[in-house]
């Protein structure tokens, strides 16, 4: 009797949630909460597989899909809860209720923006020990270029010196865009195999030979960190030296927060030596 009551309750929730979820995949994907790519786990550093060579250098190998699935479920759950859907009560039950199609569409995005990543975008200086820093400024207000919000993460140079830090591609991919943007300064846009677009902005200079349309390997230097942008071509010095990293996905170029992803891969910086 008890089991029957639970079953009926479960089924009624399932039917309701399926109905409520129908047609709202796009709302989920475009919601700021989903795009913030938050990781609710303490052990989120387990998200990636990696190998370690004889020198102790660790290399990212790809995303742990089952771990990522949990993250996707929790993010969908949080979005639906925020949207006050009346039958979403429990994140564990929810996993059995969310329609497969919605889950798969959402999962493919998170997988697409994380799985191709092989290294942190800024190398570290092993000789002079100059550091970088970044915080979660996703959605913070920006005033230049009209009212808008911050769609990325700023990685700041500890010495504020333009041209000092090499910026490397986080993924294998194709150089899709290269050149000046008023907001982004000298920027590079790289499309990885799974369809994500990684946007590296405010560079001081480009790596020699870098061209639109060329294939690039993860870890290849694409330029140096700078402070270009916020004006006509060549404008520099309007703000502190930093790399603005943006991650976009899909035909609509929806932006996703790189911050938590960067935290996960922080230990996978390439080394460079500045004498
Ligand atoms: Zn920025």
């Amino acid at each position: 009797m008890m089991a029957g009551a639970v079953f009926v309750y479960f089924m009624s929730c399932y039917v309701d949630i399926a109905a409520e979820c129908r047609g709202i995949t796009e709302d989920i994907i475009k919601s700021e909460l989903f795009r913030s790519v938050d990781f609710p786990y303490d052990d989120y550093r387990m998200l990636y597989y990696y190998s370690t060579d004889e020198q102790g250098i660790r290399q990212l190998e790809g995303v742990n899909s089952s771990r990522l699935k949990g993250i996707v479920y929790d993010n969908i759950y949080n979005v639906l809860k925020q949207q006050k859907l009346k039958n979403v009560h429990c994140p564990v039950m929810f996993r059995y209720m969310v329609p497969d199609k919605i889950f798969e569409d959402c999962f493919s995005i998170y997988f697409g923006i994380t799985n191709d990543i092989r290294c942190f975008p800024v190398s570290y200086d092993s000789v002079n020990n100059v550091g970088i820093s970044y915080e979660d400024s996703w959605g913070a207000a920006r005033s230049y270029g009209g009212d808008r919000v911050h769609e990325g993460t700023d990685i700041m140079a500890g010495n504020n010196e333009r041209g000092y830090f090499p910026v490397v591609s986080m993924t294998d991919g194709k150089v899709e865009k290269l050149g000046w943007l008023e907001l982004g300064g000298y920027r590079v846009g790289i499309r990885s195999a799974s369809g994500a677009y990684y946007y590296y902005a405010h560079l001081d200079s480009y790596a020699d030979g870098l061209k639109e349309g060329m294939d690039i390997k993860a870890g290849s230097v694409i330029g140096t960190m700078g402070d270009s942008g916020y004006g006509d071509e060549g404008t520099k010095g309007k703000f502190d030296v930093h790399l603005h990293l943006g991650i976009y996905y899909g035909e609509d170029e929806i932006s996703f927060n790189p911050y938590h992803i960067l935290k996960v891969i922080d230990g996978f910086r390439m080394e460079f030596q500045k004498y």
Side-chain angles (χ1 to χ4, degrees), residues 46-256:
M46 307 279 285
L47 184 60
Y48 280 88
Y49 293 116
Y50 61 89
S51 59
T52 309
D53 69 13
E54 311 85 61
Q55 280 95 45
I57 295 171
R58 299 187 306 165
Q59 177 62 52
L60 287 166
E61 303 284 357
V63 150
N64 178 336
S65 292
S66 59
R67 179 88 41 180
L68 188 65
K69 280 179 183 168
I71 290 169
V72 173
Y73 274 122
D74 282 349
N75 277 280
I76 299 173
Y77 173 77
N78 288 334
V79 172
L80 294 180
K81 202 170 67 171
Q82 187 190 51
Q83 293 176 351
K84 296 186 175 56
L85 293 184
K86 63 181 181 294
N87 279 311
V88 182
H89 300 300
C90 162
V92 178
M93 290 278 276
F94 177 73
R95 293 188 181 201
Y96 299 99
M97 296 173 176
V98 64
D100 289 348
K101 177 76 172 77
I102 289 180
F103 175 77
E104 281 156 19
D105 286 351
C106 292
F107 177 80
S108 68
I109 293 174
Y110 272 30
F111 189 82
I113 62 177
T114 56
N115 187 54
D116 292 338
I117 293 174
R118 294 292 177 270
C119 58
F120 194 86
V122 181
S123 306
Y124 73 89
D125 176 356
S126 59
V127 171
N128 299 307
N129 205 23
V130 179
I132 53 103
S133 63
Y134 56 99
E135 52 190 42
D136 189 7
S137 58
W138 173 254
R142 287 289 186 272
S143 53
Y144 184 90
D147 286 340
R148 61 200 175 90
V149 295
H150 197 226
E151 290 198 335
T153 301
D154 293 336
I155 301 172
M156 314 300 296
N159 57 1
N160 201 28
E161 190 180 314
R162 64 173 73 119
Y164 188 88
F165 281 97
V167 174
V168 301
S169 177
M170 299 165 74
T171 65
D172 288 357
K174 194 175 276 294
V175 178
E176 192 168 291
K177 293 277 167 55
L178 186 149
W180 182 264
L181 285 178
E182 186 186 345
L183 289 177
Y186 294 115
R187 60 76 159 89
V188 179
I190 292 173
R191 181 83 56 185
S192 78
S194 52
Y197 182 76
Y198 300 83
Y199 170 75
Y200 307 86
H202 308 313
L203 300 181
D204 187 60
S205 63
Y206 292 121
D208 287 345
L210 197 71
K211 286 190 174 61
E212 270 184 23
M214 70 186 277
D215 291 327
I216 196 154
K217 287 282 175 205
S220 303
V221 176
I222 56 177
T224 56
M225 200 195 272
D227 54 359
S228 65
Y230 284 21
D232 295 335
E233 177 157 4
T235 302
K236 291 183 179 179
K238 297 275 188 169
F239 42 76
D240 286 346
V241 172
H242 71 279
L243 171 71
H244 171 100
L245 173 71
I247 300 179
Y248 298 82
Y249 192 85
E251 286 173 12
D252 297 341
E253 299 283 320
I254 301 170
S255 61
F256 292 85

Side-chain angles (χ1 to χ4, degrees), residues 18-35:
E20 286 171 355
C21 287
R22 200 166 296 133
I24 62 167
T25 313
E26 200 166 318
D27 293 346
I28 295 171
I29 291 168
K30 288 188 172 168
S31 71
E32 201 160 304
L33 206 55
F34 186 74
R35 294 189 296 121

